[in-house]
Amino acid sequence: MMAQAPQDTVLEEEIDETYYPTEEELLEYATWLGIDLPKHKNLLWIAKEALTAPLPNQWKPCITEEDEIYYFNFSTGESIWDHPCDVFYRNLYREKAMNLQQHLDNHHEFLQGEFSKNAHAPNTIQERDQVIELDSLPSTAYSSETGMNIQLVPSESQLSDAG
């Protein structure tokens, strides 16, 4: 049995296949979703995907007399103010951020263990163009979606000792 339709105007969803959110839209929506910027800027793809996601089946956008948009599910009669997919993408971000943090924590523990075994090991690492002192490596650092690309770099003192 179908739920009773709302008294407001029911809209048809129009999907623009060429729509690409502006950077401002993307950053605003990412912040609204809870994405920690700039820490997790590499997870902006979640916000982009969410902004372009179609409504699930049975959901329709509706507009009130005050021109406010909400969403109505014609199967259940549920109405909500936020896009029905927002919860999914918010949870997806949390899962990916947690996985990145866990990945980083594991790399941090491994690197600290490896470097503490060898007194002659470099005391810095280089991730892309940034040199990071291992002793000051924060547990909240993050890597790219594809993982951490780490290159061992001798410290200034090791270079001068070698010369």
Side-chain angles (χ1 to χ4, degrees):
M1 180 165 110
M2 257 187 145
Q4 184 175 351
Q7 299 300 314
D8 298 316
T9 304
V10 177
L11 305 172
E12 286 301 316
E13 182 179 30
E14 295 179 21
I15 299 174
D16 180 357
E17 299 292 332
T18 63
Y19 170 70
Y20 192 88
T22 66
E23 184 174 353
E24 183 180 336
E25 290 172 322
L26 196 56
L27 295 175
E28 182 180 325
Y29 187 72
T31 300
W32 183 86
L33 266 183
I35 295 177
D36 185 356
L37 299 172
K39 180 180 177 183
H40 291 137
K41 197 166 186 170
N42 60 325
L43 295 178
L44 276 175
W45 63 268
I46 295 172
K48 181 196 175 286
E49 189 174 300
L51 281 171
T52 58
L55 285 168
N57 291 337
Q58 302 301 321
W59 286 93
K60 295 279 185 189
C62 300
I63 190 165
T64 67
E65 290 178 5
E66 294 81 25
D67 289 332
E68 295 185 76
I69 301 285
Y70 68 96
Y71 301 91
F72 185 80
N73 185 316
F74 280 83
S75 291
T76 65
E78 178 184 9
S79 63
I80 56 176
W81 291 106
D82 296 331
H83 192 286
C85 294
D86 287 344
V87 170
F88 170 79
Y89 287 104
R90 188 172 286 118
N91 290 336
L92 179 63
Y93 161 70
R94 288 178 184 151
E95 177 187 329
K96 296 294 184 184
M98 187 176 70
N99 289 346
L100 280 173
Q101 186 61 51
Q102 196 170 37
H103 178 76
L104 255 176
D105 290 346
N106 290 342
H107 274 287
H108 185 255
E109 286 177 28
F110 170 78
L111 288 172
Q112 290 292 10
E114 288 299 305
F115 289 120
S116 66
K117 288 180 196 174
N118 184 349
H120 300 291
N123 65 355
T124 61
I125 60 172
Q126 182 170 341
E127 182 179 0
R128 296 187 183 172
D129 296 328
Q130 182 182 10
V131 175
I132 303 169
E133 295 289 330
L134 280 178
D135 295 336
S136 65
L137 185 64
S139 61
T140 58
Y142 66 94
S143 62
S144 66
E145 263 184 75
T146 58
M148 202 178 234
N149 298 319
I150 297 174
Q151 175 184 353
L152 300 179
V153 179
S155 68
E156 298 277 333
S157 63
Q158 288 171 322
L159 288 174
S160 62
D161 290 346

